[in-house]
Amino acid sequence: MPGLLRGVARTAVISGTATAVSNRVSRRQAGRWAQQDYEQTPAAPPQQTYSAPPPSSPEPAAAASMDTKIAQLKELAQLKEQGVLSEAEFAAQKSRILEL
């Protein structure tokens, strides 16, 4: 029995050593191939950076004065009363005018 156990232990040690050596050789070879690939690839062009577009200039405050807004709202109300504008169209135009 001690001879059998000794043979099994020796086989396990040899097998483990062979596996460790094989793995180390594989890793080293993969590292060399990766280094060769890295050296052969051309340098990447510099990346362009994104710059946000400049903000649009706000409309002058004089053009959208309160008197102008009131006149536009009165005109919209007349168009709605005449049936030219629906309730939804009136509401959309009113909100657009008030946001200016």
Side-chain angles (χ1 to χ4, degrees):
M1 191 72 143
L4 179 64
L5 193 57
R6 185 179 316 146
V8 170
R10 190 164 113 198
T11 302
V13 169
I14 292 171
S15 173
T17 303
T19 302
V21 169
S22 174
N23 287 340
R24 183 170 183 220
V25 169
S26 295
R27 281 193 306 269
R28 188 181 324 163
Q29 190 64 34
R32 286 181 183 165
W33 288 340
Q35 182 66 27
Q36 287 175 355
D37 288 343
Y38 178 75
E39 291 171 355
Q40 291 175 357
T41 57
Q47 291 184 340
Q48 296 180 352
T49 57
Y50 173 76
S51 61
S56 61
S57 60
E59 294 184 19
S65 68
M66 188 58 79
D67 294 333
T68 307
K69 289 181 181 183
I70 291 172
Q72 289 175 340
L73 288 172
K74 285 181 181 179
E75 186 179 336
L76 275 178
Q78 289 174 354
L79 290 172
K80 181 184 163 212
E81 288 173 3
Q82 294 171 359
V84 176
L85 292 176
S86 69
E87 185 67 36
E89 292 170 329
F90 175 76
Q93 291 299 320
K94 183 175 79 171
S95 65
R96 184 185 62 80
I97 290 171
L98 293 175
E99 288 178 4
L100 291 176

